[in-house]
Amino acid sequence: MIDRRLFLHGSVATLALAPVTIARGATAVAHKDMDGLTAPIEIVDDVYGIPHIRAASIPDAFFGQGYVVARDRLFQIDLAHRRELGRLAEAFGPDFVKHDAVARLFHYRGDLDAELRRVPADVLACAQSYVAGINARIDELAADPSLLPLEYGILGVVPIKWDVRTFVLARGASIGNADDEVRRAQLAALGLLDLDAVVAPLRPAWTMTVPAGLDVAAVSDADLGVLRQGGLPFGPGTPTLEPTESPVERANAGSNAWTIAPSRSATGRPILANDPHLGIGGSGPRHVAHLTAPGLDVIGGGAPGLPGIMQGHTDRFAFGRTNFHIDQEDLFVLELDPADPERYRHAGGWKRFTRVEVAIAVKDAAAQSATLRYSVQGPVISHDPARHRATVLGSIAMQPGGGGSFSMIAINLARDWTSLRQAFRLHPSPTNFHYADIDGNTGWQVIGFAPIRKTGEGLLPVPGDGRYDWTGMRDFASLPREYNPKKGWFASANQNNLPPGWPRDRIPAFSFRDPYRYDRIADVLAAQPDHSLMDSVALQHDTLSTPARQLLALLPKRPSKAADMLRSWNGRIDADSAPAALFEILWRDLGARMLAVIVPERAKDLVTEIAPSLLLGLLAHPDARLGSNPAAARDAMFDAALTSAWATAQSLLGPDPAKWRWGTLHQVRITHPLSRVPAIAAAFPAIEGEGTGGDSYTVMARWLGNGSSWRASGGASYLQVIDVGAWDNSLMLNLPGQSNDPRSPHYRDQYAPWIAGRMQPMLFSRAAVDAKVASRTALTPSGRTGNRR
């Protein structure tokens, strides 16, 4: 970690010794005075829309990041900020009060000052400057409202100011895996707990048991309480969900990353590739920026509204991330005192809820009050005195140190593997962290906080009487790692990557994903002793489907139009492939038919999807679940599905199979999150017109959404391939572009390259950036400092 004394004392000297030189070449420079700056900074926007921030101090570089994020994505971060603070109703009316109450339920109720004291001083200074940069842009727009993003005029609102305390206050209302716990309890009540493996096989394998004292017959969806209240009501029929709230999103969310050592690299240097898989269809989840100051030089994709870079590289090392799996939420069921519903049974007696009364401001109406309750385990999400029952969501995010908003700054300030391990202490969310440095070292470290439970493994709801409470947390030091592995590469794709023999009492979760993407990545990398940058690009866009190839081997020998087309197919889910389209239709049809056969009627509302490994397993080895003659039932199912898939393909794609294309169905359409508001839809034209290959199980992950749609609803919207040390060779894509403003040339300029897999330069050196300048902006201190919070 950077020495804090050197940082704090050195910043003044830095301002004197290394002032920013504002370049004045052929490109005109826009000059602006800003509150919150300590010295001038320059923002150089390249032709790809990437802002390169050149500052004289590290905090001022983060000021620049806050400013450019607000410049390019203000409404996106402002709406999320309002939602986290529970301040939607004051702008949009009484329909939003219940959403504000839930947001405030998940505000941290401990000592905010103590939380801030956990943060190293240099990191906190950068976060304060980031906030000051956002606020400076908001002030700029207040002075000239004509510059406001279009949403504000349409909706009749103004942006709200930021405060660094928000980063430790708002913890986010997330359902986590609580709905999985409820489903398992409901299946157990039916005597069908084994059927949960149809939906989500446990990885690693585990035998579930019902927690002692849990009445599974009493568990229902009502126990999820306020977590199931739905999306934001922006007009009739306009619900909007956070991406991670969608079951499809949570089932598919993940990423790919691999790191290649110099010994297996064609460049003789490490290569680090990463493509985070997030929702596609609304606002882009990454904003790219380059922050430069004495002691800092970092570029890559950040999460809009959070300071720092999540995936990218510094001048010393490259870094990437994929989701690891740690079960960080538990659903506790409390027994209420029949004589006093403000008390709950715990540790052999009765405890009283902590109650917090909040007043929620409402647009054009009186404020409304809400009562928030907390038990020793966390926020009360359902309180039902009539049933003497309440439920609580225990969450790592609500624990001291569980916020994590400062972790990216700490990672960006690190200089090497050793100092990164100090930064990881600020990072609670479960992540496979990839590392490669200019000295040729590569490393993988799982980071995140894991709860220590008195008993149980968190797979079903548990009684809240104290027997299943958490007793503490483990941090990254208790999780797997590798440094300079002998085989010369490593990869993560959300598969179970716990090392063999990992202690059973320290298994952090049982929700690791199907290994299809990882297995394909591993096969390719193992066969490439001289892996190049373009090999990484090709692998990020690889469409070979392992489930498809396995299904092809199971096709009936009997001739049929559908089977004949598929037999000659290479198993690649390419956009221009007719067999790929037929396969996807067949796959969905087979899954529905298999569910109809193996799931009893009383469980059909609970088991609504089938794991691909189980579907393929039952097709390959039919058993009694298919009836008294399993093989005959399998054959009949296959024949019916092939006939049905062919007819569906004709209906969707036309009568001529030669003209079928997977991309015709698998369209990429990006709209404003509030596009069902007519004026928003008119002002923000949809970005559309192209289809894509890939699906949930290809390395080029482009998964499907809910229901009958074939549209791509998620995948790798941001991609990077880093040539470690020769930084200007690095490549990236960021769908659909840097700006959310349809008036900007960077509103959709990366849509076509993303569809084509045509990576863009990730310019880094001053010379490379200055050769591709689109605009320059000089920000200078106004002399007022009140905006730095």
Side-chain angles (χ1 to χ4, degrees):
M1 181 69 74
I2 293 175
D3 185 273
R4 296 181 201 170
R5 292 170 300 169
L6 290 176
F7 178 88
L8 293 171
H9 293 107
S11 61
V12 176
T14 297
L15 295 179
L17 297 175
V20 171
T21 300
I22 305 298
R24 304 182 190 280
T27 306
V29 181
H31 292 267
K32 301 180 180 184
D33 291 338
M34 292 284 151
D35 292 351
L37 270 177
T38 60
I41 68 174
E42 181 184 28
I43 300 171
V44 178
D45 288 283
D46 68 27
V47 296
Y48 306 103
I50 311 304
H52 302 263
I53 300 153
R54 297 168 179 174
S57 73
I58 293 175
D60 278 352
F62 281 89
F63 177 101
Q65 187 192 19
Y67 177 83
V68 297
V69 166
R71 180 196 68 182
D72 295 339
R73 304 283 188 91
L74 181 59
F75 185 77
Q76 178 184 358
I77 66 173
D78 183 42
L79 182 62
H81 189 47
R82 279 189 177 276
R83 186 172 188 176
E84 290 172 349
L85 290 180
R87 293 181 57 183
L88 291 167
E90 70 179 22
F92 302 114
D95 289 345
F96 292 80
V97 168
K98 65 178 183 179
H99 297 275
D100 286 346
V102 175
R104 298 187 193 198
L105 179 65
F106 285 86
H107 284 181
Y108 184 66
R109 296 297 166 184
D111 186 335
L112 295 184
D113 291 328
E115 286 292 279
L116 289 173
R117 287 194 295 271
R118 292 173 176 269
V119 183
D122 52 355
V123 173
L124 184 58
C126 294
Q128 290 169 327
S129 292
Y130 179 87
V131 165
I134 293 175
N135 287 338
R137 177 60 177 175
I138 292 173
D139 286 342
E140 182 181 13
L141 299 176
D144 186 358
S146 68
L147 300 176
L148 277 167
L150 299 174
E151 295 99 333
Y152 292 98
I154 293 169
L155 298 172
V157 296
V158 294
I160 57 175
K161 289 293 196 70
W162 289 50
D163 190 303
V164 75
R165 292 166 69 87
T166 302
F167 290 142
V168 295
L169 173 68
R171 300 300 173 96
S174 171
I175 199 169
N177 65 348
D179 54 347
D180 293 331
E181 294 183 23
V182 168
R183 181 188 67 244
R184 293 177 186 128
Q186 291 174 308
L187 286 171
L190 297 173
L192 298 172
L193 184 54
D194 288 349
L195 275 183
D196 194 66
V198 174
V199 183
L202 298 185
R203 300 184 182 93
W206 194 264
T207 300
M208 284 187 286
T209 57
V210 174
L214 177 68
D215 180 4
V216 291
V219 176
S220 72
D221 286 352
D223 287 324
L224 295 171
V226 297
L227 298 180
R228 296 298 292 266
Q229 66 181 355
L232 302 182
F234 279 98
T238 314
T240 60
L241 291 170
E242 290 292 326
T244 53
E245 293 175 353
S246 160
V248 170
E249 191 83 30
R250 285 187 285 117
N252 287 281
S255 304
N256 303 318
W258 51 87
T259 305
I260 312 297
S263 62
R264 295 186 66 89
S265 166
T267 68
R269 299 178 294 273
I271 295 172
L272 189 149
N274 189 198
D275 54 309
H277 301 165
L278 298 162
I280 292 172
S283 300
R286 291 290 179 267
H287 179 268
V288 182
H290 180 190
L291 286 63
T292 306
L296 176 72
D297 203 356
V298 60
I299 188 173
L306 282 179
I309 301 302
M310 296 190 73
Q311 286 120 335
H313 68 80
T314 71
D315 56 335
R316 296 284 307 168
F317 63 86
F319 56 99
R321 60 180 50 233
T322 67
N323 284 355
F324 186 71
H325 292 264
I326 301 177
D327 183 355
Q328 296 186 319
E329 293 89 16
D330 279 348
L331 189 66
F332 294 88
V333 179
L334 308 183
E335 177 190 349
L336 299 182
D337 182 353
D340 183 355
E342 294 303 319
R343 300 200 306 170
Y344 61 98
R345 189 181 298 279
H346 188 269
W350 297 103
K351 279 191 171 64
R352 188 164 294 277
F353 290 116
T354 298
R355 285 170 49 115
V356 177
E357 304 293 332
V358 296
I360 299 172
V362 181
K363 181 182 180 181
D364 300 329
Q368 296 188 26
S369 62
T371 300
L372 313 178
R373 295 178 177 85
Y374 301 87
S375 74
V376 295
Q377 297 97 351
V380 177
I381 59 174
S382 174
H383 185 254
D384 188 352
R387 298 178 63 209
H388 312 307
R389 183 182 184 87
T391 51
V392 173
L393 186 69
S395 170
I396 286 290
M398 294 296 290
Q399 305 304 310
S405 296
F406 303 100
S407 58
M408 291 305 101
I409 300 173
I411 286 170
N412 297 165
L413 298 184
R415 301 295 292 169
D416 54 26
W417 184 248
T418 300
S419 55
L420 271 171
R421 289 177 62 79
Q422 294 299 314
F424 294 157
R425 300 183 187 280
L426 296 176
H427 196 294
S429 60
T431 300
N432 291 289
F433 189 87
H434 285 240
Y435 169 90
D437 66 29
I438 58 175
D439 296 320
N441 299 304
T442 61
W444 161 67
Q445 171 71 61
V446 175
I447 52 181
F449 296 171
I452 301 172
R453 299 175 173 92
K454 282 184 179 179
T455 188
E457 60 282 327
L459 290 171
L460 280 84
V462 292
D465 56 14
R467 289 174 293 161
Y468 295 87
D469 286 1
W470 297 356
T471 60
M473 297 187 296
R474 296 188 179 97
D475 68 8
F476 75 96
S478 68
L479 295 168
R481 71 185 67 87
E482 263 192 310
Y483 193 68
N484 290 330
K486 290 183 179 179
K487 67 181 180 181
W489 64 270
F490 52 88
S492 62
N494 320 116
Q495 83 285 6
N496 177 12
N497 54 358
L498 293 171
W502 189 255
R504 292 180 68 84
D505 63 342
R506 284 170 50 202
I507 295 174
F510 301 89
S511 54
F512 292 92
R513 301 289 185 248
D514 294 291
Y516 299 122
R517 285 185 286 113
Y518 173 78
D519 289 345
R520 174 59 179 162
I521 292 167
D523 286 346
V524 171
L525 295 182
Q528 290 179 337
D530 296 302
H531 184 87
S532 69
L533 291 176
M534 296 315 296
D535 287 332
S536 272
V537 172
L539 185 51
Q540 286 183 333
H541 295 89
D542 186 275
T543 60
L544 187 66
S545 168
T546 299
R549 296 181 76 175
Q550 292 176 353
L551 186 70
L552 293 181
L554 300 173
L555 286 172
K557 303 301 182 184
R558 299 173 297 283
S560 71
K561 293 178 180 179
D564 292 346
M565 173 182 279
L566 291 171
R567 285 192 191 97
S568 61
W569 179 43
N570 60 10
R572 292 188 175 274
I573 312 294
D574 291 329
D576 61 356
S577 170
L582 180 61
F583 163 76
E584 295 290 348
I585 295 169
L586 174 64
W587 180 263
R588 181 180 285 183
D589 193 291
L590 277 169
R593 291 175 189 275
M594 188 65 75
L595 281 174
V597 172
I598 68 173
V599 179
E601 191 65 35
R602 65 187 189 278
K604 288 190 183 299
D605 289 342
L606 300 173
V607 182
T608 58
E609 57 186 293
I610 184 168
S613 55
L614 177 62
L615 175 59
L616 290 164
L618 284 172
L619 290 173
H621 306 288
D623 59 28
R625 283 175 286 184
L626 301 189
S628 58
N629 189 339
R634 182 270 319 273
D635 292 346
M637 181 186 300
F638 231 139
D639 288 342
L642 285 165
T643 300
S644 175
W646 187 266
T648 301
Q650 288 184 312
S651 173
L652 294 171
L653 297 168
D656 185 358
K659 296 180 180 179
W660 295 352
R661 299 289 182 269
W662 171 228
T664 303
L665 297 177
H666 204 38
Q667 290 286 300
V668 179
R669 187 173 191 265
I670 299 170
T671 61
H672 194 287
L674 306 185
S675 61
R676 292 188 185 176
V677 177
I680 294 283
F684 292 83
I687 302 170
E688 59 186 340
E690 299 288 347
T692 182
D695 65 9
S696 298
Y697 310 115
T698 55
V699 177
M700 189 178 83
R702 308 277 167 89
W703 67 76
L704 283 68
N706 279 317
S708 60
S709 173
W710 299 98
R711 187 177 298 160
S713 69
S717 53
Y718 172 78
L719 304 92
Q720 65 178 29
V721 175
I722 309 297
D723 187 346
V724 178
W727 305 115
D728 285 333
N729 296 336
S730 302
L731 302 164
M732 59 151 289
L733 280 170
N734 190 30
L735 180 75
Q738 282 282 95
S739 175
N740 286 349
D741 189 335
R743 299 166 296 186
S744 167
H746 304 296
Y747 178 64
R748 60 167 297 155
D749 58 322
Q750 298 217 18
Y751 177 78
W754 186 87
I755 291 290
R758 188 171 65 250
M759 302 285 278
Q760 307 294 293
M762 194 177 194
L763 305 176
F764 186 70
S765 70
R766 183 175 288 259
V769 172
D770 287 347
K772 294 287 186 179
V773 174
S775 66
R776 295 180 186 270
T777 304
L779 305 184
T780 53
S782 67
R784 301 180 297 272
T785 59
N787 218 12
R788 188 186 292 271
R789 298 187 181 183

